Amino acid sequence: MLRARWRGVAAAGGRGGASVDPWGPVDARWLSTASHRDTRGVLHAWFDGEAVRRATGREVTVTRANATVSRRGALRGIKYSLATAKYVTCLRGAVFDVVVDLRVGSPGFGRWRGRRLDGDTPGALYLGAGLGHACLALGDDTVVAYLLGGPAGTASDVAEAERTVHPFARELGIAWPSSPRPILSERDACAPGLHAARDSGLLPVHHRSTA
């Protein structure tokens, strides 16, 4: 059952003092990552493949890297894929970040978790395939970076595989911040709700979700 709060635990075998926060099933993890500051600025060491493997128990092949630059109020998602895992971090600004279990048959189906991500708090979120992700930019020029991929030895067309569920679906009841006013793309604004997506056979099935 998905919990309503975030709980931190030590990452077994993690490097550089990293810690891992499990989220419900094994398919989502919050990883505290390292940053190094000096007179020139900051270096964010936000991805370590071995640390991710140790935290999730899975080998993931990165097939694509994306970054978004968002104005205040930009709401992206809820996006999900049947076969693509995602690794997310905020490099500048801040977002309210949400993960939703969209896997039909999962004990946590329809449950969500949210937390603030910002460029001043090093860390990244790993989401297994079938979990939905959305984020609301809390300031202008907010930068969020994504790594996408499938299981080692497989390939997927990320753009073709990505689907959406409406971020304000009443069945989900996500408690978005009251401010700023959300700005949605046409695609996200027209996305189906949770039950409509399920009844149309668009959502992943729990036992088929792999990352």
Side-chain angles (χ1 to χ4, degrees):
M1 192 107 177
L2 302 187
R3 303 291 181 181
R5 63 184 181 182
W6 296 82
R7 296 182 299 169
V9 299
R15 295 187 288 181
S19 64
V20 178
D21 177 1
W23 177 84
V26 299
D27 301 321
R29 291 288 187 272
W30 168 257
L31 290 85
S32 297
T33 59
S35 65
H36 308 279
R37 184 182 298 271
D38 61 22
T39 56
R40 300 167 298 174
V42 182
L43 167 68
H44 292 293
W46 63 279
F47 177 75
D48 181 328
E50 177 62 16
V52 173
R53 186 192 67 79
R54 290 178 181 274
T56 65
R58 299 181 178 183
E59 298 281 357
V60 176
T61 299
V62 175
T63 57
R64 184 173 299 190
N66 295 335
T68 59
V69 181
S70 300
R71 60 182 292 189
R72 185 174 186 267
L75 175 52
R76 301 178 185 270
I78 303 166
K79 294 181 169 57
Y80 67 98
S81 168
L82 303 183
T84 302
K86 184 179 291 187
Y87 186 83
V88 185
T89 192
C90 181
L91 296 177
R92 186 173 68 206
V95 296
F96 181 70
D97 203 78
V98 170
V99 180
V100 185
D101 192 343
L102 299 176
R103 302 166 303 172
V104 177
S106 167
F109 178 70
R111 300 291 298 274
W112 64 275
R113 304 218 28 212
R115 67 173 296 161
R116 176 189 171 100
L117 306 186
D118 61 63
D120 296 324
T121 306
L125 182 67
Y126 169 88
L127 298 86
L131 298 180
H133 176 258
C135 60
L136 173 68
L138 302 178
D140 288 329
D141 296 322
T142 292
V143 177
V144 175
Y146 305 81
L147 299 179
L148 302 101
T154 68
S156 62
D157 186 329
V158 175
E160 181 180 349
E162 190 174 70
R163 302 178 181 183
T164 61
V165 167
H166 202 288
F168 291 99
R170 284 188 292 179
E171 309 96 307
L172 294 174
I174 296 174
W176 295 103
S178 57
S179 177
R181 183 177 180 179
I183 305 167
L184 276 67
S185 69
E186 181 177 355
R187 181 189 182 195
D188 291 345
C190 295
L194 179 68
H195 292 170
R198 179 198 60 194
D199 296 344
S200 298
L202 298 174
L203 298 180
V205 177
H206 178 48
H207 69 272
R208 294 179 183 173
S209 295
T210 57

